[in-house]
């Protein structure tokens, strides 16, 4: 158990709908990352937050957005869902923002499997 | 640009065989970190090792060992005396200064099947 929690574990919805995925980082971790794992694209970085502020963006679609709240949990919002958005969405957390003389390990949650029908 | 290549898509071995998973990376940065993660059938991603670009010492942890060679931009992973529980998808990943923030840049993964 990594200490990172994600809810829900599974989500089935229809095209055009909007969903929210939730992540709670490990105790003490300030940085949260979102990744998408699909058969086509593999594991791709979406977005990073550090202590409530957006730090980096990867291949995140405009239909997707995220935020990190004062209690450090994060939510990933996916809207106008398409069939191709079906994937496993991971949240990871680390202690630091990631710079300086070392990069902290990212510990991953169990993922949320999203199925868009 | 950063890139991680895991040329082996699938590997199948019989229990107790040794197996090496290859990882080749590309980066222009002099400071970077390499990682290996394991994804068992249950789906979670498990951190295995981190290695920085200034430390080329090989590492051994039980049946696992890692060979980092900057000259060939490789960071290979060997499992000695494989076991059925080693069956999983293994991902090599890279973080470097010019990455998107400090996000992991993953390879496509190598699916390892260990049969009894």
């Amino acid at each position: 158990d990594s200490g990172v929690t994600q809810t829900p574990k599974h989500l089935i919805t229809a095209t055009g709908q909007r969903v929210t995925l939730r992540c709670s980082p490990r105790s003490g971790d300030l940085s949260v990352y979102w990744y998408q794992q699909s058969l086509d694209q593999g594991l791709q970085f979406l977005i990073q937050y550090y202590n409530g502020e957006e730090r980096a963006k990867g291949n995140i679609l405009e239909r997707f957005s995220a935020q990190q709240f004062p209690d450090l949990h994060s939510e990933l919002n996916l809207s106008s869902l398409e069939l191709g958005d079906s994937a496993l969405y991971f949240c990871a957390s680390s202690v630091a923002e990631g710079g300086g003389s070392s990069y902290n390990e990212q510990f991953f949650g169990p993922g949320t499997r999203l199925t868009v029908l | 640009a950063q890139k991680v290549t895991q040329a082996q898509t699938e590997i199948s071995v019989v229990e107790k065989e040794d197996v090496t998973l290859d990882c080749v990376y590309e980066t222009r940065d002099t400071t970077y970190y390499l990682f290996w993660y394991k994804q068992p059938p249950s789906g979670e991603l498990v951190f295995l090792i981190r290695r920085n670009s200034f430390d080329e010492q090989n590492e051994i942890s039980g049946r696992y060992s890692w060979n980092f060679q900057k000259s060939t931009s490789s960071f290979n992973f060997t499992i000695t005396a494989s076991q059925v529980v080693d069956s999983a998808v293994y991902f090599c990943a890279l973080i470097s200064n010019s990455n998107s923030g400090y996000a992991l840049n993953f390879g496509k993964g190598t699916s390892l099947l260990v049969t009894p």
Side-chain angles (χ1 to χ4, degrees):
Chain A
D1 186 349
S2 67
V4 178
T5 60
Q6 288 187 249
T7 57
K9 193 167 185 176
H10 301 278
L11 197 49
I12 301 174
T13 188
T15 54
Q17 295 299 304
R18 172 190 170 94
V19 298
T20 297
L21 312 183
R22 182 188 169 103
C23 167
S24 293
R26 294 186 318 160
S27 177
D29 284 0
L30 299 178
S31 212
V32 170
Y33 306 77
W34 286 97
Y35 292 86
Q36 179 195 58
Q37 185 177 28
S38 64
L39 286 175
D40 293 344
Q41 302 295 326
L43 265 164
Q44 284 198 110
F45 166 65
L46 296 178
I47 197 164
Q48 177 201 2
Y49 279 82
Y50 175 75
N51 205 20
E53 295 189 8
E54 182 183 303
R55 272 294 179 260
K57 270 187 172 181
N59 298 320
I60 188 167
L61 300 172
E62 284 191 11
R63 301 183 285 108
F64 296 1
S65 64
Q67 57 185 132
Q68 186 179 27
F69 294 86
D71 67 352
L72 300 177
H73 91 271
S74 177
E75 293 181 356
L76 178 67
N77 300 297
L78 315 176
S79 61
S80 302
L81 285 168
E82 301 175 359
L83 295 177
D85 297 328
S86 296
L88 188 53
Y89 291 84
F90 285 106
C91 165
S93 73
S94 65
V95 172
E97 182 178 358
S101 60
S102 68
Y103 296 100
N104 286 275
E105 292 87 344
Q106 293 179 27
F107 293 89
F108 283 76
T112 292
R113 184 168 294 282
L114 174 66
T115 302
V116 182
L117 302 175
Chain B
Q2 292 75 41
K3 185 178 178 181
V4 176
T5 301
Q6 295 180 256
Q8 304 151 308
T9 306
E10 294 180 355
I11 300 176
S12 183
V13 299
V14 177
E15 206 169 20
K16 297 183 184 176
E17 286 184 8
D18 298 347
V19 58
T20 295
L21 310 182
D22 297 333
C23 173
V24 174
Y25 62 92
E26 295 176 29
T27 180
R28 294 179 183 173
D29 296 310
T30 55
T31 302
Y32 53 90
Y33 279 76
L34 295 162
F35 300 77
W36 277 93
Y37 281 84
K38 173 182 179 181
Q39 187 175 38
S42 52
E44 74 272 25
L45 281 164
V46 179
F47 166 80
L48 294 178
I49 189 172
R50 177 189 71 187
R51 173 66 72 213
N52 75 57
S53 53
F54 301 109
D55 182 2
E56 285 193 73
Q57 277 192 325
N58 291 331
E59 181 151 341
I60 298 174
S61 177
R63 297 184 296 106
Y64 294 171
S65 61
W66 290 270
N67 182 2
F68 176 29
Q69 292 195 337
K70 288 178 75 170
S71 60
T72 56
S73 297
S74 65
F75 185 43
N76 296 337
F77 173 29
T78 297
I79 301 175
T80 302
S82 59
Q83 299 176 0
V84 172
V85 293
D86 295 327
S87 296
V89 181
Y90 291 87
F91 292 93
C92 181
L94 168 71
I95 292 178
S96 61
N97 285 337
S98 55
N99 247 22
S100 296
Y102 302 101
L104 289 157
N105 185 357
F106 286 93
K108 294 292 187 186
T110 297
S111 178
L112 174 65
L113 177 64
V114 182
T115 55

